[in-house]
Amino acid sequence: MPQAIFKTLSVIMTNAVNLLDLDPIGLVSYCENLGEKPFRARQLQRYIHRSGISDFDAMTVLAKSLRDKLKICASIRHPAVLKDRTSADGTRKWLLDVGEGNAIETVYIPDQDRRTLCVSSQAGCAVNCYFCSTGKQGFSRNLVVGEIIGQLWMTEFALRAAHGSPFPGKRVITNVVMMGMGEPLLNFDAVLSAIRLMLDDNAYGLSRRRVIISTSGLVPMIDRLADELPVALAVSLHAPNNSLRDKLVPLNKKHPLEELMLSCSRYLRVAPRDFITFEYCMLDSINDSDECAQQLLVLTRRISCKFNLIPFNPFPESRLLCSSPERIRRFAQILIDGGVITTVRRTRGADINAACGQLVGEVHDRTRALMRRKQNIIPVLRGSPRAI
Ligand code: SAH
Ligand code: SF4
């Protein structure tokens, strides 16, 4: 190809709109700007998000003239894969390049009927929680819609291609959790656009109960989520009182626990599930005493909730240790005896560093290997729901 034509084509392709950046409303406006009717946007969306087709020539239901236009002014691009690892337990983790030296992670966690994708919302994170390796990397930038939904798009169709028949006619990914890198409520608009695609019947068709946003507790944004698109909510609590939470989750100084509990109560009025999940990272001798568990029961007494205890995943700079399995069991039992359903997260994909933020740093730490061996023997505990 002559150099000049090649250069012109490259410029057009780099400026081409990435259709993964457009949510259902955005795609309708885009098609209208091309002089097309809204139903064309739905057809296009089905090709992209239901069939995983990125070759415009293969979108034969669309008029040839539209396909030709799209070939010139649009493209479908997900972040490039830097690493792709599968664990012995079936957990699969991708490291994706989002440019300028930034990488993000996406983790697929199959578990019986549930096949969950853990999605990142930011490159790095500004909240800087005491025990989080993503926080320690600092904040680089918000991901755009195409980089968020691109994680689901790329993995769903890669998994379909790999599995072929085990899930015939079905989606591979049944649940999405916004628990990868970053604070999703600090990238509100892009996260919501991506979730609109996740929920759309002409895309992934997931129910609001099966999409979970996990937040460190941005009170005004929890209220906004309640107003705009209430999906299932997980709140990272990690401490039962303000003095400890101020240290572990610095955002607590701005939005203390009393405010956070009130926003959780408000959220429950519109939430798709009748409970909020409180995540609690188990840190040896820091937040794992019997007294902490008892304080948690008091703090959350007016809230319909479940606890998910997360064994801390050590990384070298953290200089922290995970609570012992016995301590975690005892802590869980106090919550269960207090009437709150409590589960302990099983460690998945330990052989591929599948925990949040760890493939990016590719850290090697002998304490982690020891911890993993301990964590693998923790059973999942269940209690009976507490009356509210
Ligand atoms: N920023 C959001 C979502 C991403 S983090 C949030 O904080 O909720 C997802 C969960 O992993 C959070 O509960 C977070 O506190 C927890 N987490 C972070 N680092 C961890 C570590 N090293 N070990 C165990 N859990 C960790
Ligand atoms: Fe950010 Fe969540 Fe890590 Fe805190 S735990 S630093 S909010 S990613």
Side-chain angles (χ1 to χ4, degrees):
M1 186 186 299
Q3 193 68 14
I5 300 180
F6 181 77
K7 262 193 180 164
T8 317
L9 271 179
S10 314
V11 170
I12 291 173
M13 288 315 290
T14 347
N15 291 331
V17 171
N18 182 5
L19 297 183
L20 292 185
D21 278 328
L22 303 179
D23 68 4
I25 297 167
L27 210 50
V28 168
S29 321
Y30 180 76
C31 284
E32 278 173 356
N33 287 339
L34 291 181
E36 302 287 338
K37 297 253 164 26
F39 77 91
R40 288 290 178 208
R42 283 191 292 280
Q43 289 175 332
L44 185 54
Q45 190 177 299
R46 278 203 291 270
Y47 270 124
I48 301 170
H49 292 287
R50 271 174 55 165
S51 310
I53 293 176
S54 55
D55 174 5
F56 295 119
D57 280 328
M59 302 183 178
T60 47
V61 165
L62 305 182
K64 172 125 185 3
S65 56
L66 173 57
R67 281 186 266 149
D68 288 342
K69 270 188 247 174
L70 290 172
K71 280 197 291 192
I72 295 170
C73 62
S75 64
I76 297 167
R77 306 185 299 269
H78 65 77
V81 177
L82 293 172
K83 282 182 191 163
D84 173 356
R85 291 187 184 168
T86 304
S87 155
D89 67 15
T91 303
R92 186 166 168 187
K93 180 163 183 166
W94 292 264
L95 183 69
L96 304 174
D97 181 9
V98 290
E100 293 174 357
N102 293 313
I104 54 158
E105 300 167 341
T106 302
V107 186
Y108 170 67
I109 310 150
D111 192 10
Q112 293 168 4
D113 289 350
R114 193 186 302 173
R115 298 176 294 275
T116 303
L117 191 71
C118 179
V119 169
S120 294
S121 56
Q122 299 181 309
C125 182
V127 179
N128 195 16
C129 297
Y130 189 62
F131 50 84
C132 174
S133 98
T134 305
K136 296 286 161 272
Q137 291 160 30
F139 174 69
S140 293
R141 68 168 173 86
N142 281 329
L143 300 186
V144 297
V145 182
E147 291 167 331
I148 300 170
I149 202 66
Q151 297 170 61
L152 179 55
W153 188 80
M154 190 271 299
T155 52
E156 171 69 29
F157 297 107
L159 289 163
R160 271 194 214 178
H163 288 288
S165 57
F167 316 114
K170 283 192 186 165
R171 288 184 299 267
V172 176
I173 292 159
T174 59
N175 294 60
V176 172
V177 293
M178 300 297 307
M179 291 184 188
M181 300 173 74
E183 167 51 58
L185 295 186
L186 282 175
N187 186 13
F188 194 86
D189 292 338
V191 165
L192 250 63
S193 286
I195 291 182
R196 284 199 182 95
L197 281 165
M198 292 173 198
L199 304 183
D200 197 299
D201 284 339
N202 288 311
Y204 302 89
L206 297 174
S207 80
R208 285 193 292 132
R209 300 162 55 86
R210 287 175 178 267
V211 175
I212 304 182
I213 285 201
S214 173
T215 178
S216 52
L218 277 130
V219 169
M221 291 310 191
I222 294 176
D223 286 334
R224 213 176 135 195
L225 189 65
D227 284 345
E228 294 189 26
L229 194 58
V231 290
L233 186 69
V235 173
S236 296
L237 214 46
H238 308 312
N241 55 62
N242 283 323
S243 60
L244 181 56
R245 197 164 191 269
D246 282 351
K247 295 186 188 105
L248 299 183
V249 185
L251 186 94
N252 193 69
K253 291 181 202 131
K254 202 163 176 203
H255 304 295
L257 281 168
E258 304 72 43
E259 263 189 49
L260 182 57
M261 292 302 114
L262 287 173
S263 76
C264 289
S265 297
R266 292 192 291 273
Y267 198 84
L268 278 167
R269 291 185 208 137
V270 292
R273 292 176 167 184
D274 58 3
F275 62 91
I276 284 181
T277 304
F278 287 127
E279 294 165 280
Y280 197 93
C281 180
M282 298 299 296
L283 297 160
D284 183 39
S285 307
I286 292 182
N287 64 356
D288 63 351
S289 65
D290 288 1
E291 199 195 348
C292 282
Q294 266 130 18
Q295 283 182 17
L296 277 179
L297 287 170
V298 176
L299 176 75
T300 60
R301 67 190 179 283
R302 292 189 215 290
I303 303 201
S304 172
C305 63
K306 292 184 183 178
F307 269 93
N308 187 218
L309 306 183
I310 315 175
F312 170 63
N313 236 297
F315 54 100
E317 315 90 89
S318 71
R319 296 210 201 97
L320 297 164
L321 287 176
C322 179
S323 311
S324 70
E326 298 69 43
R327 184 86 299 269
I328 297 177
R329 260 191 222 110
R330 166 92 187 134
F331 197 91
Q333 200 57 53
I334 294 172
L335 295 175
I336 290 166
D337 292 345
V340 186
I341 293 181
T342 301
T343 52
V344 179
R345 188 177 294 174
R346 269 188 304 142
T347 302
R348 298 288 308 260
D351 49 333
I352 55 161
N353 284 345
C356 173
Q358 297 199 339
L359 199 58
V360 169
E362 200 65 76
V363 285
H364 299 285
D365 178 9
R366 280 190 292 140
T367 56
R368 202 191 312 142
L370 180 69
M371 282 304 160
R372 274 190 217 121
R373 281 202 292 279
K374 285 184 186 171
Q375 286 163 19
N376 278 337
I377 54 167
I378 298 168
V380 171
L381 303 167
R382 290 194 185 279
S384 48
R386 176 174 49 159
I388 46 165

